[in-house]
Structures are given as C-alpha cells and as structure tokens.
Amino acid sequence: MRRSSSGSSQEDDTDEDCQPEPSVSEDDGRKRSFTSAKFDITRQSITLDRRKVEKNHPIPQVAYDAPSPLQTQTLEISEKQRLSDTGALHQPSRMGQLHEQRRSRVRNPWKCSLLTLTTTALSSILILFIVHSFLTRQLDPKGCNNCRMRPAYAKLSGFDTEHTRFASKYSLYLYREGGIDEDTMVKGVPVLFIPGNAGSYKQVRPIAAEAANYFRDTVEHDADALRAGTRNLDFFTADFNEDITAFHGQTLLDQAEYLNDAVAYILSLYPDPRRSSRDPGLPDPSSVILVGHSMGGIVARTMLIMPNYQSNSINTIVTMSAPHVRPPVSFDSDLVHTYKRMNDYWRQAYSQKWASDNPLWHVTLISIAGGGLDTVVPSDYASLSSLVPETHGFTVFTSSVPNVWTGADHLSILWCDQFRKILARSLIEVVDVNRQGQTKQRAERMRIFRRWFLTGMEAVTEKTLPHNDPTTLLTLEDNSNSIISSGERFALREFGDSGKPKAYLMPIPPQATASSKRFSLLSDQRIDSSGGGGKLEVLFCSVFPLQAGQSAAVFAMNMDLSGASSGSTRLACKNAASDVISLPASTTTSKNSFDERDPFSYLQYSLNDLNEHQFVAIVDKCSSLSSGWVIAEFSDSSDSQIQTKTGLRRLLTMGMDVVLPAMRPIVTEIKIPALHSSLLAYKLKVGPQVCGDSADLFTPLLRQYITEPYESKYFVNVKEANINLHSIAPFMPPPLPGHQVNEGVSLQLWSDPTCNTSIDVSLRVDFAGSVGKLVMRYRTIFFAFPILIVALVLRKQFSIYDNCGVFITFAESLDLCLRSSLPILLLAMVFLGMSLTSSQSSATSPRSSSLLHWGGNGTESIGDYTKNDILMGSSDPFFWFLVPLAGLLSTAVCVVVNYAALLVIHMFCVIYSFFNARPAWLRNDDRRHNMTPAFAAISPRRRAITTSILLFMVSTIIPYQFAYMVACIVQIATCTRALLFAKETQSGIHYNFYNYAHSILVLMLWILPINLPVLAVWVHNLAVHWLTPFSSHHNVLSIMPFIILIETLTGGKMIPRVTTKFRYITNTLFFLLAALAGIYGVTYAYLLHYLANFVCAWLVVIHFSSNGFSISSLNQMLDVEETEGHIKKRP
C-alpha cells in the first residue's frame, strides 16, 4: 500500500488499481520491450482495418477527448515505470486475475460490498422501526365530532382590477348561513378567513356557521350583551385557487398583498348604505379580525410587513396549526427570507420600550395547535414564545381547551365541532361595535381569550372573585351546626339528605398564619350562578350585620336558610360560578377525556384571593335525596406538590417511582423538571385506588401539562398513560425575555382522598415510542444528509480517477467512504455540535457574524434566535447520537436510490437497444475499435443554440427549476446511451464515462426535490391561467453550470483527469458540499442547489480546460458542419 499522490487532505485515497507490484530483473525488461514492440505492430494492423471499416461504414467521430501530448507522455512514462516495477510478464496468470478484478469492479455497478450491504440492512431495519413506531405507538386518541352547516357564498365581484392587481387570479367571498342570513348586506363585524397551503375558501363554513347560529340562538336575546356592543360576525373568505404557499415565498407575499387590498375593500363596504345595514349611529369599522389556517396564519402575519398595509387595520389574529417559527420546508430561498424578515419585524416591534414605538402594540395573536395528531406541520412550530410576549399572545393546544380536550389533525381543527364552538364564541365576545376598532381593548381581549382557551389553572389566568361585588345575602340559623371544623375536609356523598336546602360553612384560615394554603373544591355537579336551578352553589362570604333601617334590597339574591328561627346570621356573599374550572369526568366507565358526559366542576383559590372573606358556604339546594357528591378542603402547598430531582439520565436508566400517601389532598402535583424534551416519550402507570367498603366518589384523573406553550392532556380513569409533549424541540429558537422559564412536565392527579389508601405512580421511558417522535421533527434530513453522502462518494471517485485514471462505480466509492471519510466527517460534526453547545452555555459576548450571516451558533447571546439552526437543531448534548444516526439512515436511502436509478437506466437501456438494434458484425467491430455509435453526432453549434434558447426562456418565462428537471431527464438519457455503449464496446474508458455520468445523475436526483415544489407552484399557476412570470427564480446563473455540464455529457465527453494541484479544488469543493449539507442543509436546504451548481461550474471548467479555453478555440468548436453522416471541420 502506498499513499496516493493526489494529496487528499482528508484521507489516503488507496485502491487496488493503484497498488504497485514486486520488482523484477533486467531480463524481464528486455522481454517486456519485445512485447511492447509486438503490441505496436498489432496496433498498426488494427488501425488499417479500422480505416477500411470507416470507408465502407461511416461512423460518427469519437466524442471523447484525446489526451494532450503532455498527458500522453505522462501516461507512457507511467506505463513503462509500472511495467518495469512489476513481475507481470513472469506471472501472466496473476496479471490476468488482477486485470479481471479491476475490470469487474469498474464495469459492474451492481456490485455491493459486505460492509455496504450490512449498513444498508441495519439502516433499513431502523427506518422501518421508526416508521412503525410513528404509526402505531404513542398515538393520541381522536375525539372530534362532525358538524353541520348550510353554507352559501356570495362572490364580491366589485373587488376587481381597480382595487388589486391579483383580481384575475384570486377572488373574495362573503359567507352566509342558510336560513339565518338571507341577504348579502354587511351588518356585523368583519372577519377575514385565510385558507392555508392548497386550501379552499369553503373551509370557513364550520366556524362561520357556528358563529351565525350562536348569535341567533343566544346573543341576540341577551340585552346586556347587545348593549355592551356584541354583534354578529360577517365572515369574508379568500379564494386563492388552492395556491401552494408552503413551498413558495413569492406566492406568500402575493397573497399578503392581495389580502391587504381586500381589507381596504371590506372596510369600504360598511360606510356604503347600499351594501351595509348597520346602525348608522355606530362608528364605521377601521379594522378586521383575521382567522388563518396553516400557512394562512403566516400570510396574516406577513400582511403587517407589506408596503400596502393600512395602519391599525388589523388588531386580532387567530391562527390554527400555523408554523410560525420556521417554514415547513426550506427549499425556497424567498420563503426562508420572508420568514426571517417577518419574524425579525415582530420581535423588533415587541422589544420596544415604549408603546408608542411599537407598531404592533394593539395586535393580539393567538396560536392554536392540534398536537400529535397533526402529521402535516409539527405543532412545535406553532409556538409564539420567541415572537410575542405573553401580554399580546400565547400558544395553546386543542387538548387544553375546556370542553374540547382532544387533539386535532391538520384539517379536523377546522371542522372539529367542540373546538369550532369555542372559537366562534370567543370571537363574538371580543367584539365591541361601539369602538372604531370593532373589538374590545387589547388587555380585555387577552382576558377573554385566556378564559375561553386556557384551563383556568395557569398562573396567568385571572380570578374574577376578588373583582366582583357581593350579590347574595345568605341568612342562616344562629344555632346552625353546619360549620365545618377548621382544617377538616368537607365531603358530601349525596344531596338533599336533610330534606331541605342547607349551607355548610368552612372557615377560611387567617392569611397571616396560612400563606401557603389553598382552597380546592371538586364536584360532579355544575356549580350554579346566583338564582340558578341546580343542586350546588358555592359562595364566599363575610359577616354582614343588618343595621336598623338598612334594607337587604342592595343584594340581587336573598337566600334565607334560617327557617322559622328567631335568631339568624347574615352573610354577604360572592358567587364563585364565574371561576369554575371544567374537568373531564372520571368514573369507572370513563374511557377518554372527550367522552360526551357532564364534566366535573373544580374550584381552586389561593388565600390571597380570599383575604376579604371569612367563610366558604357550600349550599346544598336539594330538598329531596339526589345523587351527586362534592369534596372541599384547605391544604398546604407543600403537601400537594412533589418536586422530583431525578435527572434525565437516571430517568432513562431507572425511571421514576412516587408513592402518594394515604393522607393526601384532593389533587397532588408531581413536577419533573428533567422531562422537557419533545423527542422522548414515556409510559406512566398509576396504581389502583382501593376504597374498602365504601365506593369511591371518582376514579383517578390525570392532567399532564407544560406552561410554555400551554399544552395539557387529560387521562380519565387512569391506569396507564402515554406521556409525550411539545416543549423543547429541535430547530426552535429561544423564547423572548420575560417568558416563563421551562419547568418541565407537571403531572396533576385528582384522586378520592376519602379512600385513605396510598397510590403508586411509576414513570418509564418508552424507547420504542420515542423513536417515532423523530419523524415529525427530522423529516427534512432526508433531503440534506443524503447529499452529504453523495458528495463524499463523488469526492472519492474523482480522487481515484485523478490518481489512477479509473472512475470507480458509485457503489464501490460508497464502500470506500464507509471505511474512512464518512465516519470521520460524522464524528467531526458530533464534536462540532458539542463544542457549540458548551460555548452557547457560557458565552456572554454579543453575537458575531459568520457564514452568510447565520452566525451566533457558536456564541449565545441575548436575542440570538438562530443558535439552533445548524446540525440537528438541538443544543442538548444528550442527543449527540442524532448526527451519526442521520448519517446511517441516509446511507441506506442513498443505496436504495442508487440501485433504483441503476434499475431504471438498465430498463431504458434494454428498450433503447431494442429500437436501436444493429448487425452483430458491426457491434463486434465497434467493440474491437472502441467507436461511439451510441452517441449521435450532434454538432456543438446545435447544442450551443439549444442551451442558449433554454437559458433565454429561464431568464424570461420559465423558472430555472423547470430547466433543472429537463436537465435531469436529459442526464437519464445520457446514462442510458452510455451504458449501452459501454456494454457493446466493453471498454474501460467507456465504463469510466458511464460511472461518471451515473454519479452526476444521482447527485442531481437528490437536488431535484429541492426544486420540485417551486416547479409545482409554476405548473399550478399555469393551470389557473395565471401567466405572469415569477418575479424570482429567473437567475440564469442558478442553472447555467448544470445545463452546460449536462449538454457536454450528451456528447459522451469524459471529464479530463486533473494531475496538477488543481485537483485539490475538486476535492475541496465536494468536501465543502458534504459539510455544509450536514451543517446547514436542514434549515437552509435551498443552499444545496446553489452549492451543487457551483461544483458543476468547476466541472465545466475542467471539461473546457482539456484543450485550453480561448475565444478562438470556442469559435473553432462551434464552426463545424455535418457532412454525409460524419463531422468534418472546415479548413
């Protein structure tokens, strides 16, 4: 073995084809010269025979470049030196064996080494295991109910080209619910629905129908709500002809521009008496509420950065399943740059110190995610923590929303009956037609949205009890024995056991002595508001001595439970119904949290909320025996919270076990700070609740929740539960300053405390379920890491070719890479990621610039929102293994794609040979003379004209992605002809060319998915008769090297060997392509096209450098003509 003279900086490029053999004696040299002379005579006779054949059967000129005199001399010297240093003449059998082995490797592209086969098999098993886990494990149950509506759509034809330049492509509609809105007059508050990627304008119907029905059935009969400014909603919806916005930034910008024009047009309808039936005394609307689904939510946010945005015309945005943080795929540079510009604008606006400097101060943004059921867009991307402060918006999951309690997939979030009711009613409640903005003030809007969408147990949720006035006068007997002893738990197993309404009083502990206590109440009955007709009412009371001459009429409700007693105690009370938290019912028959049954009622207050009161009055309003139960208590926070200190590594190896004592509060909370990664899933087991002789009031109810974003999941009648979350996820930017610190997962367990038995809780990592979580977070690695593999394979092929003159097959080069360069590069990337992680955790200096201004990955600082953009997007060193895992899986995919391409090319070769059959004697003669009949003689002038026309069309009409697809098709044809010719001639140089063309094709096939989405957008625009060219994607330089290289290969022209120091450039370019594909490929996938294009430009330079490039040589190359089936140069 010897070190290759190529000077590869990464590893020794060694191969059997380049190995020297043992030296021989001088006599052998004399024999060798005789053999060489004999070979020269034979070569002369072959030349004469070849001239005779050419005279009788003209054959196109060979397209391969003849070696230069310097190359010929170098080759002759190398051959003489090799023969002088070997014993091939004395060992003819061994020389033949080596020759056959060399030919077999070069000419058999199907050959697969044991290492490659083992790696592919292992990777394939892992891929199947991951996909199986994704499809079958840790799945959230589906609980959305279907909905009904009677839709009607009125097209606003007045919104024409006078108002927008997109009138011929897009349309605007007004929704009307059949049987409720029979006219097309605007009468309420404008709401604009924005469909998502390839979405329909008709997707507005579930929400709009529910809003119309709710207003007619409820709000219209509520005089107080009408006086407060509540009105119905006018839903407008945009028809984008199912435009594809997830892949194309320019389409997103076009839609945003169109919608700003639409908002201006919608607002112009309300002052027009011919189109509006509103009360003329109300102010005309100056803003529109936006509701966006998927990419429609991104379009909504983009509208505020467009030049045609009308200031303050948007103040409320509600998005569903919208990827706010990053684009779903990063194939289009315009889309990535639009995201960056939009997110930077929002962050900069909310970083202003004074409200007057913040153009978004009046805007509220609510992001609603579907959770694990959404397999289109990762719900992690819906987070607003890095974009909007908590005062202006939040992110919530549908499984957290009261009375919804189920996840939703990407489309069902629109028609989920439980969720659409909450959304429509919250939008109606934020309306205030008495204000010009048509909505309540921002702080009030946020309170309303929190009340409708959050559970009520979050720290940001405000209790209404301290702000309410007493509305009920409660009168009791002086000698009442219904006062519960201080510190005692109250439990009522059935209502009406006394035969009349009865109030139970629980003394509130003094604030000074019980600052850590809290009040909790749980019941299976609905808690009534004042004057309600239910079984249970909860009041917070203070002693109210009625003085002489003072009237009790100041209270809206007088509840006298004193009977005929002469003495009585009067309490001034506040009703707690407005603070009731709904929980899914958990009984022995419960299966899912979204089961259709009456929910539990839960109250929770800290003593700070109750400092004005002396008693809690639990009023049993039944006069006869009735089923139902209620439990209430004051408990210490230290007893109800268990703070675990189990680290992640201990959690992975040994799990966690907690025993809840028999004497425990109603609800116990287990905090697990180490459980915060969205890449890990867990299995939770809850031991049985044994209540002895008495039946338990309810079965254990579990709530899993995190505070950033607001994600809660409920498990009723819990025995086992799948714990997975959307907290810290790959490629997610850090939160804005002021957001809550991530405290991991908390588990709240409601259990029957009257059972007086302990409960065992165990938590274990679900490794099989965790691997399925990689699918949604790392789907795009299969568009980046395979290019890393292919680039290394090409680098190895060129290195050996430049050294030895043999262009090995893709499979053999992959085998060599698996033995050296690929493990080294993956290991280097692992160390790079770990070093960046350590530097991020300790850096305090400002962000420094780096490659393409995506710096800061090595230095963490305040406001650095790009630090997780590189590698696998995780700053947790625990997940170091993801880089080699991605490389392993990508290797299998590359092998599959390589053999799939081989299969296709061989099939085309069979078909092509069938239609291009020639006499056997001519094929034998071609094999003997190494001619090139497979490549038709196409003049360089014709190829130059074709290339020029294609480039001109790219610069004017078609996007360069279309030209790229054409280049891929042409390259497949070139590989097909090259394979046919190599099989016919059995020539090593022709197999070199085929291997070279095939490897270029594999590289192009991996770049193709990056270009296909934009091409799909262009084809869609043609389908809807939108012929306006893109304002982007017409850069000729983005495709010219690819086209020139492919056109060069169509002539069967093998790339010359580079034996000078310039070969280092080829080596370095392919290495940089591989490294950047692994480091930045996932986040900036569109860059891979440009990098591969630059590499192709260098290959074109090598092609043209074989004879020296100059204007005269170019003119001579083009100045050719076709004469009688062969090419003849003009003198």
Side-chain angles (χ1 to χ4, degrees), residues 820-925:
S820 55
S821 57
L822 181 58
I824 293 174
L825 180 58
L826 294 179
L827 185 62
M829 292 170 61
V830 170
F831 283 113
L832 173 64
M834 298 183 70
S835 64
L836 293 179
T837 299
S838 58
S839 63
Q840 288 170 5
S841 61
S842 60
T844 57
S845 59
R847 178 172 59 180
S848 60
S849 60
S850 65
L851 182 63
L852 297 179
H853 304 286
W854 301 324
N857 293 285
T859 305
E860 181 182 6
S861 61
I862 298 177
D864 180 11
Y865 297 100
T866 62
K867 66 177 185 179
N868 293 328
D869 284 353
I870 67 171
L871 293 174
M872 303 304 290
S874 176
S875 58
D876 191 343
F878 174 79
F879 295 104
W880 64 268
F881 61 89
L882 291 177
V883 171
L885 177 63
L888 182 65
L889 300 181
S890 299
T891 301
V893 178
C894 283
V895 171
V896 172
V897 170
N898 174 50
Y899 283 108
L902 284 174
L903 180 62
V904 171
I905 292 172
H906 277 73
M907 290 174 58
F908 286 161
C909 182
V910 172
I911 298 173
Y912 182 71
S913 63
F914 178 78
F915 289 101
N916 195 36
R918 293 178 296 113
W921 68 270
L922 189 57
R923 292 198 303 268
N924 293 334
D925 187 76

Side-chain angles (χ1 to χ4, degrees), residues 286-558:
S286 63
S287 66
V288 175
I289 298 174
L290 300 183
V291 177
H293 172 243
S294 186
M295 291 300 294
I298 307 305
V299 175
R301 290 181 52 219
T302 308
M303 293 170 62
L304 280 75
I305 67 171
M306 298 298 293
N308 66 333
Y309 169 65
Q310 183 178 334
S311 180
N312 297 329
S313 61
I314 299 170
N315 62 19
T316 303
I317 304 176
V318 178
T319 67
M320 297 169 286
S321 299
H324 289 287
V325 175
R326 54 186 291 116
V329 292
S330 57
F331 296 162
D332 179 47
S333 60
D334 286 348
L335 184 63
V336 175
H337 295 155
T338 299
Y339 256 87
K340 185 179 186 304
R341 187 163 67 96
M342 173 185 60
N343 289 341
D344 288 347
Y345 176 82
W346 281 69
R347 291 179 182 127
Q348 184 66 27
Y350 287 118
S351 67
Q352 300 301 316
K353 182 178 181 179
W354 306 106
S356 58
D357 298 328
N358 183 1
L360 304 178
W361 181 256
H362 62 289
V363 177
T364 55
L365 175 61
I366 309 300
S367 176
I368 303 164
L373 291 179
D374 190 347
T375 57
V376 176
V377 174
S379 291
D380 309 284
Y381 294 176
S383 174
L384 298 177
S385 60
S386 64
L387 299 170
V388 178
E390 294 179 339
T391 56
H392 289 73
F394 58 85
T395 304
V396 65
F397 285 69
T398 55
S399 58
S400 305
V401 179
N403 299 308
V404 177
W405 297 322
T406 179
D409 62 45
H410 199 67
L411 292 179
S412 67
I413 197 172
L414 288 167
W415 53 259
C416 183
D417 188 52
Q418 303 99 305
F419 173 71
R420 69 162 186 157
K421 292 178 178 177
I422 301 297
L423 177 57
R425 296 173 189 186
S426 65
L427 290 175
I428 289 178
E429 190 170 343
V430 301
V431 165
D432 184 1
V433 295
N434 298 317
R435 304 181 74 248
Q436 191 174 13
Q438 301 298 289
T439 58
K440 294 179 171 61
Q441 294 183 354
R442 178 190 53 80
E444 182 61 22
R445 293 199 306 271
M446 288 298 299
R447 279 192 290 268
I448 292 172
F449 284 131
R450 290 192 186 106
R451 187 173 71 251
W452 280 102
F453 292 119
L454 301 186
T455 64
M457 292 174 278
E458 293 82 3
V460 296
T461 304
E462 299 180 10
K463 301 294 185 181
T464 62
L465 183 71
H467 308 289
N468 293 339
D469 295 326
T471 57
T472 301
L473 181 64
L474 178 62
T475 305
L476 304 174
E477 295 178 345
D478 280 343
N479 58 353
S480 174
N481 59 358
S482 58
I483 299 179
I484 311 301
S485 301
S486 179
E488 183 179 347
R489 178 184 296 119
F490 170 74
L492 183 64
R493 289 185 169 270
E494 54 185 3
F495 289 89
D497 58 348
S498 61
K500 62 178 182 179
K502 184 176 181 180
Y504 300 88
L505 299 182
M506 296 184 66
I508 297 176
Q511 179 72 22
T513 60
S515 58
S516 62
K517 286 185 176 293
R518 68 178 183 182
F519 172 76
S520 302
L521 181 144
L522 183 65
S523 176
D524 65 342
Q525 302 296 311
R526 181 174 62 87
I527 297 178
D528 276 354
S529 57
S530 298
K535 300 179 183 179
L536 177 65
E537 190 169 341
V538 179
L539 305 172
F540 289 85
C541 307
S542 301
V543 176
F544 185 79
L546 191 62
Q547 304 295 332
Q550 186 177 5
S551 172
V554 295
F555 297 97
M557 182 66 185
N558 189 358

Side-chain angles (χ1 to χ4, degrees), residues 561-586:
L561 303 180
S562 62
S565 175
S566 57
S568 60
T569 300
R570 296 176 177 84
L571 301 175
C573 303
K574 299 179 182 179
N575 189 281
S578 59
D579 289 332
V580 169
I581 299 169
S582 294
L583 297 177
S586 181

Side-chain angles (χ1 to χ4, degrees), residues 815-1101:
D815 175 66
L816 295 176
C817 291
L818 288 175
R819 300 175 187 275
S820 55
S821 57
L822 181 58
I824 293 174
L825 180 58
L826 294 179
L827 185 62
M829 292 170 61
V830 170
F831 283 113
L832 173 64
M834 298 183 70
S835 64
L836 293 179
T837 299
S838 58
S839 63
Q840 288 170 5
S841 61
S842 60
T844 57
S845 59
R847 178 172 59 180
S848 60
S849 60
S850 65
L851 182 63
L852 297 179
H853 304 286
W854 301 324
N857 293 285
T859 305
E860 181 182 6
S861 61
I862 298 177
D864 180 11
Y865 297 100
T866 62
K867 66 177 185 179
N868 293 328
D869 284 353
I870 67 171
L871 293 174
M872 303 304 290
S874 176
S875 58
D876 191 343
F878 174 79
F879 295 104
W880 64 268
F881 61 89
L882 291 177
V883 171
L885 177 63
L888 182 65
L889 300 181
S890 299
T891 301
V893 178
C894 283
V895 171
V896 172
V897 170
N898 174 50
Y899 283 108
L902 284 174
L903 180 62
V904 171
I905 292 172
H906 277 73
M907 290 174 58
F908 286 161
C909 182
V910 172
I911 298 173
Y912 182 71
S913 63
F914 178 78
F915 289 101
N916 195 36
R918 293 178 296 113
W921 68 270
L922 189 57
R923 292 198 303 268
N924 293 334
D925 187 76
D926 293 338
R927 184 182 301 114
R928 188 171 68 249
H929 300 301
N930 291 342
M931 302 305 293
T932 60
F935 290 93
I938 302 177
S939 68
R941 173 181 293 177
R942 182 179 302 178
R943 294 204 305 267
I945 294 175
T946 303
T947 302
S948 300
I949 294 175
L950 186 59
L951 292 177
F952 175 76
M953 294 180 66
V954 167
S955 64
T956 56
I957 302 175
I958 64 175
Y960 70 77
Q961 288 82 0
F962 179 82
Y964 184 85
M965 187 186 68
V966 172
C968 290
I969 296 174
V970 172
Q971 184 65 7
I972 293 175
T974 300
C975 291
T976 301
R977 294 189 297 159
L979 177 61
L980 177 62
F981 181 52
K983 284 184 175 181
E984 290 181 350
T985 62
Q986 293 295 310
S987 168
I989 188 172
H990 299 142
Y991 273 103
N992 279 352
F993 176 75
Y994 168 69
N995 292 336
Y996 168 53
H998 175 79
S999 297
I1000 294 297
L1001 174 63
V1002 172
L1003 175 62
M1004 294 181 67
L1005 290 179
W1006 280 113
I1007 300 294
L1008 183 60
I1010 300 176
N1011 294 280
L1012 282 180
V1014 175
L1015 182 60
V1017 174
W1018 181 69
V1019 173
H1020 175 270
N1021 285 347
L1022 294 181
V1024 298
H1025 308 292
W1026 181 255
L1027 304 180
T1028 303
F1030 291 154
S1031 58
S1032 57
H1033 306 295
H1034 292 285
N1035 187 355
V1036 174
L1037 296 179
S1038 298
I1039 193 63
M1040 181 184 293
F1042 275 114
I1043 293 178
I1044 297 177
L1045 178 63
I1046 300 309
E1047 281 294 328
T1048 303
L1049 295 182
T1050 57
K1053 184 177 181 180
M1054 182 59 185
I1055 189 170
R1057 291 175 59 192
V1058 180
T1059 57
T1060 64
K1061 294 183 179 180
F1062 286 107
R1063 66 182 182 272
Y1064 298 131
I1065 299 179
T1066 308
N1067 191 299
T1068 303
L1069 287 178
F1070 279 113
F1071 182 79
L1072 286 177
L1073 175 60
L1076 293 177
I1079 296 175
Y1080 286 106
V1082 177
T1083 303
Y1084 306 100
Y1086 69 90
L1087 273 180
L1088 300 181
H1089 172 93
Y1090 301 137
L1091 294 174
N1093 187 57
F1094 188 78
V1095 172
C1096 289
W1098 172 246
L1099 297 182
V1100 169
V1101 171

Side-chain angles (χ1 to χ4, degrees), residues 701-748:
L701 169 66
L702 178 70
R703 175 194 174 217
Q704 165 210 330
Y705 77 93
I706 56 177
T707 57
E708 190 60 56
Y710 296 115
E711 181 184 22
S712 296
K713 295 182 181 179
Y714 293 93
F715 304 91
V716 297
N717 192 20
V718 61
K719 298 179 179 63
E720 292 186 357
N722 292 327
I723 306 298
N724 53 77
L725 60 150
H726 297 82
S727 181
I728 298 179
F731 305 107
M732 294 292 291
L736 290 174
H739 270 266
Q740 300 182 36
V741 178
N742 190 291
E743 298 178 350
V745 169
S746 296
L747 303 175
Q748 280 185 311

